[in-house]
């Protein structure tokens, strides 16, 4: 699996298909994050922006390989393992972006509540922001795994489905990613720093289940 991950990461790096998701995430941060804004609010915004970016990266990684090369890799190690390596590579790239974005937000934000009356401890806020970013990346990866190959092979279906699903899980009240982001926003008003462990566990389970389903179908349809 290590060799497959290196192979998929090399494909992603050389293709430059990571550039549009990177620019999208940078645009989100450039528009929504300002120096001196309350730290928890900004961390919640940065984490929420990572969800569609993670879904996009999964689409990039599961479709970047030429068909002939993918067939060769599948014949060598199995299509399920190849597909798993693609999703994990995308998730890893999303986590790198999320970590960088969280650290940037923590560095430029005001460590106080929304009313600027109470101080927020920066280390705790940064950890909470990282956990929330991971939760959003995991749910974004789940969306990408379910809305692209092998479940949806045609771009005309896969791309709109990915966009719509990413939007829905971002705003739905029952979404664990939404709960994690809302916890940060609520903490900015109450002065408490939440640790979104339950949303993180739920999004991890969602990502694992979605990826397992996609890998199983990849094996059957190859």
């Amino acid at each position: 699996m290590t060799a497959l991950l290196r192979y998929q990461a090399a494909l992603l790096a050389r293709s430059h298909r990571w550039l549009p998701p990177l620019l999208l995430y940078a645009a989100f941060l450039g528009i929504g994050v300002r120096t001196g804004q309350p730290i928890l609010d900004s961390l919640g915004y940065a984490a929420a922006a990572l969800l569609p970016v993670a879904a996009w990266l999964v689409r990039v990684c599961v479709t970047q390989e030429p068909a002939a090369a993918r067939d060769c890799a599948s014949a060598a190690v199995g299509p399920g393992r190849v597909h798993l390596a693609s999703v994990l590579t995308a998730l890893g790239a999303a986590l790198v972006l999320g970590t960088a974005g969280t650290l940037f937000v923590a560095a430029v934000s005001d460590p106080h509540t929304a009313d600027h009356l109470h101080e927020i401890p920066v280390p705790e806020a940064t950890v909470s922001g990282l956990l929330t970013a991971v939760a959003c990346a995991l749910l974004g990866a789940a969306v990408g795994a379910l809305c692209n190959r092998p479940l949806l092979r045609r771009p005309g279906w896969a791309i709109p489905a990915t966009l719509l699903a990413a939007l829905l899980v971002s705003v739905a009240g029952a979404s664990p990613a939404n709960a994690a982001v809302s916890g940060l926003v609520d903490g900015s008003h109450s002065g408490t720093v939440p640790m979104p462990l339950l949303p993180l566990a739920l999004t991890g389970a969602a990502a694992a289940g979605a990826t397992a389903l996609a890998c199983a179908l990849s094996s059957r349809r190859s």
Side-chain angles (χ1 to χ4, degrees):
M1 181 58 72
T2 302
L4 279 175
L5 289 173
R6 287 202 301 264
Y7 169 64
Q8 292 292 336
L11 282 177
L12 179 62
R14 293 173 182 173
S15 71
H16 298 289
R17 295 177 69 188
W18 49 266
L19 187 57
L22 171 63
L23 293 177
L24 176 64
Y25 188 57
F28 275 131
L29 295 185
I31 293 171
V33 176
R34 292 287 184 271
T35 301
Q37 287 182 332
I39 186 170
L40 293 180
D41 286 330
S42 295
L43 286 172
Y45 178 87
L50 190 62
L51 196 155
V53 172
W56 190 352
L57 283 168
V58 170
R59 169 159 182 81
V60 166
C61 287
V62 301
T63 60
Q64 68 179 345
E65 197 172 6
R70 189 178 182 91
D71 290 342
C72 290
S74 298
V77 298
R81 289 170 65 85
V82 173
H83 197 80
L84 175 60
S86 299
V87 176
L88 291 178
T89 299
L91 178 59
L95 292 177
V96 170
L97 289 180
T99 300
T102 299
L103 295 177
F104 168 75
V105 169
V108 303
S109 298
D110 177 23
H112 288 85
T113 54
D115 56 13
H116 302 285
L117 296 178
H118 303 284
E119 186 174 358
I120 299 293
V122 175
E124 291 183 25
T126 303
V127 171
S128 180
L130 285 172
L131 293 178
T132 304
V134 172
C136 290
L138 286 168
L139 196 56
V143 168
L146 292 176
C147 295
N148 291 285
R149 61 183 302 179
L151 284 88
L152 298 177
R153 293 180 176 270
R154 295 183 178 180
W157 288 102
I159 294 175
T162 301
L163 293 174
L164 180 60
L167 176 62
L168 289 177
V169 300
S170 296
V171 302
S175 166
N178 181 285
V181 172
S182 297
L184 285 174
V185 175
D186 292 341
S188 183
H189 290 84
S190 65
T192 59
V193 179
M195 291 297 164
L197 299 181
L198 179 58
L200 183 62
L202 293 175
T203 55
T211 303
L213 175 61
C215 290
L217 289 177
S218 179
S219 298
R220 291 183 179 182
R221 294 183 180 184
S222 297

